[in-house]
Amino acid sequence: MKIYQSISDFFCNKKTIITIGTFDGVHIGHKKILEKIIQNSIQNKFESIVLTFFPHPRIVLQTGLDMKQLNTIDEKVGLIRNIGVDNLVIHPFDKVFSQLTAEDFVKQVLVDTFNIQKIVIGYDHRFGKNRTADINDLIAFGNQYNFEVEQISAEELNEVAVSSTKIRSALTEGNIKLANSFLGYNYTITGKVVQGKQLGRTIGFPTANIYVEEDYKLIPNSGVYVVECKIDNQFYFGMMNIGTNPTIENTDLNQKIEVNIFNFDTEIYDKSITVSFLKRIRSEQKFDSLESLKAQIAMDKMESLQFIKKL
């Protein structure tokens, strides 16, 4: 897959088929659209293109909106690459670009730059300045500039009944099972292992503290989770706690992400770790003593191991 960092970087002398969207999560609904353009590109010997944007257009256009994303850019690239698209264009979205009229977008981008023969789009897609143009305008432009428009019907997309918004809500509530079913894969976060206070060691459950650099990445609701960790291309199971460690006397109330990796005692400070969420065990809670906390963590580990055994 070829990756372009803006529309102006793109060059291809072949005819193309394209789809456009933010594709946050690259979930099972998105995959229906992406697989459709890939099938079409093979049948017609077109190059397939996905045009997406960063940052998310809503963040640019809605002042003060703090909307967390399901994917970092690297994650999105990896997911789209795995589906088999030929070209991914990640265009920087800003207020200047948002002022492009629908006709200028079609003529300058789709026709002159991408040389499109066909566009596949969702039934509710809107585009152009102030998002005033819809599918009917796109069909009219297609007739004018000689490209085909295929609309994914509401019925077809509603079969999977999924949206990025629903997945964000599920993760915010800690409903990992629902989020993973909508995504079609296990939700992940990737970060660097950093120095913590090493309190876990004192109660027999050492943890790796994870720092996620991308502050726009959605972190699931606080609580304890069964996870799978990838370190140096090796996989390990473990349990993760997201929260503020309320049992420990602590003036630092910032959210912490800590994972206890099972059967693992290697030094991994400054290494990258990718954690996949498998199941939520419980919410974070404050215990009367460290002994009570230790007993609960032992129960959490037992429940985690029982879950892993069934995988």
Side-chain angles (χ1 to χ4, degrees):
M1 184 177 76
K2 295 177 183 175
I3 302 168
Y4 302 88
Q5 298 302 325
S6 76
I7 290 165
S8 60
D9 290 344
F10 180 83
F11 175 78
C12 179
N13 53 18
K14 293 183 181 178
K15 296 177 178 179
T16 68
I17 178 170
I18 188 171
T19 188
I20 304 168
T22 52
F23 297 102
D24 188 29
V26 195
H27 57 60
I28 57 177
H30 293 144
K31 287 173 187 171
K32 288 179 79 89
I33 297 173
L34 298 178
E35 286 167 356
K36 191 175 285 281
I37 72 162
I38 291 167
Q39 290 165 6
N40 233 288
S41 70
I42 293 168
Q43 290 167 2
N44 296 289
K45 295 184 169 58
F46 295 155
E47 282 274 307
S48 58
I49 303 174
V50 171
L51 172 60
T52 191
F53 306 100
F54 185 81
H56 195 293
R58 282 173 58 190
I59 294 173
V60 174
L61 299 175
Q62 297 180 31
T63 304
L65 179 66
D66 181 26
M67 187 177 73
K68 300 300 184 184
Q69 303 295 286
L70 300 172
N71 296 142
T72 66
I73 283 295
D74 287 345
E75 289 168 349
K76 186 184 294 187
V77 168
L79 289 163
I80 292 174
R81 177 186 281 117
N82 289 342
I83 293 171
V85 172
D86 296 319
N87 303 277
L88 173 62
V89 181
I90 307 166
H91 189 74
F93 193 90
D94 56 24
K95 291 192 175 177
V96 173
F97 183 78
S98 75
Q99 296 301 301
L100 202 62
T101 66
E103 182 158 14
D104 283 346
F105 175 75
V106 169
K107 178 66 170 66
Q108 295 172 20
V109 177
L110 299 186
V111 177
D112 293 346
T113 303
F114 291 143
N115 187 29
I116 74 160
Q117 300 302 300
K118 184 171 182 176
I119 184 167
V120 178
I121 217 74
Y123 71 95
D124 57 351
H125 183 76
R126 303 189 72 86
F127 65 102
K129 184 178 178 180
N130 298 324
R131 301 182 74 244
T132 52
D134 61 13
I135 187 69
N136 296 313
D137 298 296
L138 191 58
I139 290 169
F141 286 130
N143 292 332
Q144 180 181 349
Y145 292 108
N146 196 32
F147 62 82
E148 184 184 350
V149 177
E150 181 175 349
Q151 179 185 22
I152 307 291
S153 69
E155 291 75 23
E156 190 171 351
L157 287 181
N158 286 341
E159 281 178 16
V160 294
V162 60
S163 70
S164 300
T165 301
K166 286 183 180 179
I167 297 168
R168 289 188 202 105
S169 295
L171 290 169
T172 301
E173 294 163 5
N175 193 339
I176 289 296
K177 184 177 181 180
L178 181 62
N180 287 349
S181 70
F182 282 162
L183 288 167
Y185 59 89
N186 294 326
Y187 189 69
T188 66
I189 60 171
T190 297
K192 185 169 76 170
V193 178
V194 296
Q195 188 86 34
K197 294 185 177 179
Q198 300 186 337
L199 295 172
R201 294 175 187 272
T202 65
I203 56 173
F205 295 95
T207 59
N209 290 260
I210 301 172
Y211 169 69
V212 178
E213 182 178 0
E214 297 84 359
D215 59 4
Y216 60 88
K217 172 74 175 179
L218 191 155
I219 305 301
N221 193 15
S222 61
V224 179
Y225 296 85
V226 187
V227 297
E228 184 177 45
C229 307
K230 181 182 178 184
I231 307 164
D232 292 335
N233 289 317
Q234 298 293 316
F235 292 89
Y236 310 89
F237 290 110
M239 56 183 179
M240 169 175 277
N241 184 74
I242 299 173
T244 58
N245 298 331
T247 303
I248 310 295
E249 188 172 331
N250 192 358
T251 56
D252 179 9
L253 296 180
N254 290 323
Q255 185 185 66
K256 299 168 189 64
I257 306 171
E258 303 171 90
V259 59
N260 171 241
I261 308 170
F262 300 155
N263 303 315
F264 187 85
D265 59 3
T266 306
E267 186 69 66
I268 53 171
Y269 286 126
D270 294 327
K271 283 188 177 289
S272 175
I273 180 171
T274 296
V275 180
S276 301
F277 291 80
L278 307 182
K279 179 187 177 182
R280 188 170 193 257
I281 297 176
R282 62 174 175 86
S283 59
E284 186 178 48
Q285 57 195 105
K286 184 173 183 176
F287 295 91
D288 295 333
S289 66
L290 282 180
E291 285 305 313
S292 298
L293 172 61
K294 185 176 178 179
Q296 180 60 57
I297 294 174
M299 290 172 62
D300 295 338
K301 182 171 184 178
M302 191 179 301
E303 184 175 344
S304 299
L305 292 172
Q306 287 172 349
F307 175 80
I308 291 162
K309 196 179 292 184
K310 296 174 183 176
L311 294 177

